[in-house]
Amino acid sequence: MNLDVGGLARAGLNSLPGVQLAPPAGELPSASALDNARLNAFVVVPNAVQGIFRRRRRAVAAATRADIDRWAVGLLEGMRRTHAGKPIWVRLGPSRALMLLSVDDVRATLEGSPDPFAADPEAKRKGMVHFQPEALTISRNPQWAERRDFTETVLETGRAAHRLADPFAAVIATETKALLDQVGGGELDWDAWALALRRITRRIVLGDLARDDEGLTDQLFAMMDAANSMPGEPSDQLGEFRARLKAHIERAEPGSLAALVAEAPKGESVDPAAQFTHWLFAMGDTLPVNAFRALAAIASHPVENDRVAGEIEDAGELVGAAIASLHRLGGCLHEAMRLWPSTPMLSRELLADATLGGVSIPAGTQVLIINTYMHRDRDRHPDADAFRPGAWVNGTAGEDWSFNHLSHGPQGCPGSDLVLFVGGGILANLLRARDVSVLDGAMDPGRPLPHMLDAFALRFRLEPGN
């Protein structure tokens, strides 16, 4: 049957669900009503329900059972093929946004951040302002440059082994041993794992005296939970939390990131506590999820497990330099973040007109990058559903702008090296001391890996190592 596209347009049927018409020359395509509905059903709503700023365990479990990300990837693969990879105008509820489907457009956007592609669209700002209103990630120039300078100096961005790597390694070893002593030869679940990472985070960021200040972390996480509803104003708890945090920072305990504040550049817009807030949740909430998934992937893949074990054994004593040299283990962490990105979407807002897809896009446009799709696009990456840490070891994956779990460009994660160091450190100490098998959440290395892996539901059997 021949389809008279021109006749459909003349009849006013160009908005029929599923009907895709070529846009006029010089314009970008718009998603059909059906694809918009699917995009909201498979991407926007599930991410909001699971929690934008802090994941809700029951919602994550439900989304995992529904395998919602698999449906999202299939939808976006089809949209990219239909529109030849061009950016597509989509509807996010009542709002209009431009969704990117090509690596070139993603790269242009991330290279152009924070100006003209600002990282503070309204929804993101309305949430983050609740618990960190001066966050680097929602800053614009000149504040962004000042806050980025401070952050990169303290975190030593681009340096695999931080100058405090040895004291950090000692903290990691001590807390991993405490975790293993608690678990013994039994089972490791999310709650025990997360508590250990929270203690490691507070000691590295604030010092040993903050180890047991669980109330500080609880207060932060409560504000993050509330931020999921996009309140648009600072929390009533923010002042009390900041005062408590500042007391730890001002102590400047040797061997902690707080000890480096005095020598770091602090422009007029820099409040150290405002930036430390982000590090506390990135290392104490997001990293535990990513590292637990990496542990499940390693333990489910015997060949990779053996390679990682050999690398750890060859490293000798797990001091700072040794942990930083565990490139295979680092590749496993990267690969877990690629397979199951804890930041499913990146959004930017145009501050000035810019060109994407060969077309001028007006200022004020929200631009979307869907990591869950870009990381798993099987047309672009034949091994998208496999566990391939070697691609990170040889550098090919790190150079691919499809993968943005730690982002790229000027606004790439300034703490990426430290995150990999801490995650690699706890995994190395654990895998050296115990043989690990997956009780709940095991994967078949001979089959495509699942699109979703609920870290909260993972359980492991730990047995004394050989």
Side-chain angles (χ1 to χ4, degrees):
M1 179 179 70
N2 293 324
L3 179 63
D4 181 1
V5 174
L8 284 174
R10 288 190 297 272
L13 300 178
N14 59 323
S15 61
L16 279 175
V19 176
Q20 305 283 357
L21 302 181
E27 294 185 13
L28 293 176
S30 295
S32 68
L34 179 59
D35 280 347
N36 273 321
R38 288 169 171 165
L39 181 68
N40 281 275
F42 298 153
V43 179
V44 180
V45 173
N47 276 297
V49 170
Q50 290 175 82
I52 300 297
F53 299 101
R54 191 159 186 263
R55 287 312 212 192
R56 302 179 176 106
R57 293 175 69 159
R58 290 184 179 179
V60 169
T64 302
R65 287 193 297 270
D67 202 11
I68 200 73
D69 283 357
R70 179 173 67 86
W71 293 97
V73 170
L75 168 67
L76 269 67
E77 284 178 335
M79 293 175 74
R80 186 190 63 78
R81 293 173 194 145
T82 298
H83 299 292
K86 293 180 180 179
I88 303 174
W89 290 107
V90 297
R91 288 281 177 184
L92 308 181
S95 303
R96 190 172 186 240
L98 188 67
M99 183 172 65
L100 306 185
L101 296 176
S102 82
V103 178
D104 288 344
D105 289 330
V106 168
R107 181 165 188 166
T109 298
L110 296 181
E111 284 184 333
S113 299
D115 191 357
F117 293 96
D120 65 337
E122 182 181 6
K124 183 177 178 180
R125 176 171 288 279
K126 288 175 68 175
M128 293 195 76
V129 73
H130 194 63
F131 63 101
Q132 51 172 162
E134 301 93 16
L136 172 65
T137 53
I138 54 170
S139 298
R140 298 183 179 182
N141 278 324
Q143 290 84 4
W144 178 84
E146 292 179 346
R147 294 166 181 170
R148 181 79 185 198
D149 197 15
F150 171 83
T151 297
E152 289 191 356
T153 300
V154 176
L155 299 183
E156 296 189 350
T157 304
R159 184 173 176 176
H162 195 280
R163 78 176 86 169
L164 298 177
D166 284 340
F168 292 169
V171 166
I172 294 167
T174 300
E175 293 298 340
T176 306
K177 183 179 184 303
L179 172 64
L180 295 176
D181 288 345
Q182 172 191 342
V183 173
E187 297 179 6
L188 174 63
D189 63 12
W190 168 258
D191 290 330
W193 174 260
L195 185 60
L197 266 292
R198 287 162 73 149
R199 288 172 174 163
I200 289 171
T201 296
R202 288 193 297 272
R203 292 182 67 183
I204 287 177
V205 176
L206 301 173
D208 294 345
L209 292 177
R211 177 190 189 269
D212 297 319
D213 192 355
E214 192 66 22
L216 178 75
T217 306
D218 286 342
Q219 200 167 27
L220 171 59
F221 288 175
M223 291 189 293
M224 292 174 63
D225 287 335
N228 285 333
S229 64
M230 311 292 182
E233 59 185 11
S235 168
D236 292 340
Q237 300 182 62
L238 186 60
E240 180 185 343
F241 169 77
R242 283 278 182 87
R244 191 170 185 168
L245 177 57
K246 285 180 179 179
H248 285 299
I249 296 171
E250 290 170 359
R251 193 174 58 247
E253 190 172 330
S256 71
L257 294 177
L260 306 180
V261 169
E263 64 186 70
K266 290 180 282 295
E268 292 182 1
S269 70
V270 174
D271 177 352
Q275 306 314 317
F276 271 61
T277 299
H278 194 88
W279 310 343
L280 285 174
F281 86 73
M283 196 184 300
D285 186 59
T286 307
L287 176 60
V289 170
N290 292 328
F292 219 37
R293 287 171 173 162
L295 181 61
I298 293 168
S300 296
H301 290 77
V303 172
E304 285 302 329
N305 199 345
D306 289 345
R307 288 172 176 164
V308 168
E311 181 182 59
I312 295 170
E313 183 62 29
D314 292 343
E317 185 181 359
L318 292 175
V319 296
I323 293 174
S325 73
L326 299 174
H327 302 302
R328 193 86 197 179
L329 186 54
C332 291
L333 272 165
H334 268 299
E335 189 68 345
M337 289 187 272
R338 179 194 69 82
L339 287 161
W340 307 288
S342 49
T343 303
M345 293 188 292
L346 300 176
S347 56
R348 298 289 186 265
E349 181 179 326
L350 266 174
L351 303 180
D353 294 357
T355 299
L356 288 171
V359 174
S360 180
I361 309 301
T365 297
Q366 183 179 178
V367 179
L368 296 179
I369 300 167
I370 312 297
N371 282 341
T372 46
Y373 157 68
M374 296 295 294
H375 291 196
R376 291 286 197 113
D377 181 5
R378 290 159 291 189
D379 291 338
R380 188 178 293 113
H381 307 291
D383 289 339
D385 297 332
F387 187 57
R388 296 287 185 266
W392 297 95
V393 179
N394 65 31
T396 56
E399 296 171 358
D400 193 331
W401 287 64
S402 301
F403 308 140
N404 287 292
H405 47 278
L406 295 173
S407 199
H408 283 279
Q411 288 193 306
C413 176
S416 57
D417 299 297
L418 185 57
V419 163
L420 292 168
F421 179 91
V422 175
I426 191 170
L427 289 174
N429 277 275
L430 188 152
L431 290 167
R432 172 171 282 183
R434 297 288 190 273
D435 289 331
V436 180
S437 56
V438 188
L439 295 175
D440 288 331
M443 292 161 274
D444 183 347
R447 297 176 59 84
L449 297 185
H451 280 82
M452 304 191 74
L453 186 63
D454 182 357
F456 305 125
L458 293 174
R459 289 192 310 121
F460 300 88
R461 169 72 66 184
L462 305 186
E463 298 177 353
N466 297 327

